[in-house]
Amino acid sequence: MANLVTAHKRFSLKHQLLCSALAFAVGFTSIPVHAEAVAAESYTVTLQNILATDPSHFNEKMWDLIRANPQAREQILSESIRLSMQHEIALHPNDKAAILAKFKKLYPQYADQL
């Protein structure tokens, strides 16, 4: 927003400064949310890479990731369950309903997310 105002030079310096301050305030309040989103994305990418390269050791590597990032335990666990289920369904698309039922039975606390 501040870049747009500065680029057009149609507004007064006071207006430009107010827009810059507003843009900074909005950006500053969103930094923690953005950092969490980046971290969540990196966990997802890491877990996807593990599933793609070494699915037989997925659980072990998932727990290694949790031990390395204990603050994100729930996030990593729920994401790994979701990715495991997707991987299983991709391998056996005809058994989708049975796989979903199995995962809901194994992980009832995540049933609403599956």
Side-chain angles (χ1 to χ4, degrees):
M1 177 168 53
N3 292 339
L4 177 68
V5 171
T6 318
H8 292 293
K9 300 284 185 194
R10 291 186 284 179
F11 301 102
S12 68
L13 180 60
K14 182 179 177 181
H15 187 82
Q16 292 176 21
L17 289 173
L18 286 172
C19 287
S20 294
L22 177 64
F24 176 76
V26 169
F28 184 71
T29 57
S30 66
I31 287 173
V33 173
H34 180 67
E36 287 177 9
V38 169
E41 181 68 25
S42 69
Y43 298 137
T44 301
V45 170
T46 302
L47 291 166
Q48 286 172 335
N49 289 339
I50 294 169
L51 263 177
T53 58
D54 193 9
S56 61
H57 294 102
F58 179 75
N59 285 343
E60 296 166 25
K61 293 183 179 185
M62 182 243 341
W63 284 110
D64 290 342
L65 187 61
I66 289 174
R67 279 190 285 280
N69 303 285
Q71 75 284 358
R73 181 183 192 281
E74 276 302 308
Q75 183 180 12
I76 294 169
L77 191 58
S78 66
E79 189 65 13
S80 62
I81 291 167
R82 186 183 66 79
L83 290 172
S84 295
M85 186 181 70
Q86 286 179 344
H87 180 75
E88 191 74 23
I89 289 172
L91 291 175
H92 309 286
N94 295 334
D95 300 332
K96 183 177 179 178
I99 292 169
L100 184 58
K102 178 180 96 173
F103 272 81
K104 284 185 176 184
K105 185 177 178 183
L106 287 172
Y107 306 104
Q109 66 274 28
Y110 299 106
D112 61 326
Q113 298 172 15
L114 300 176

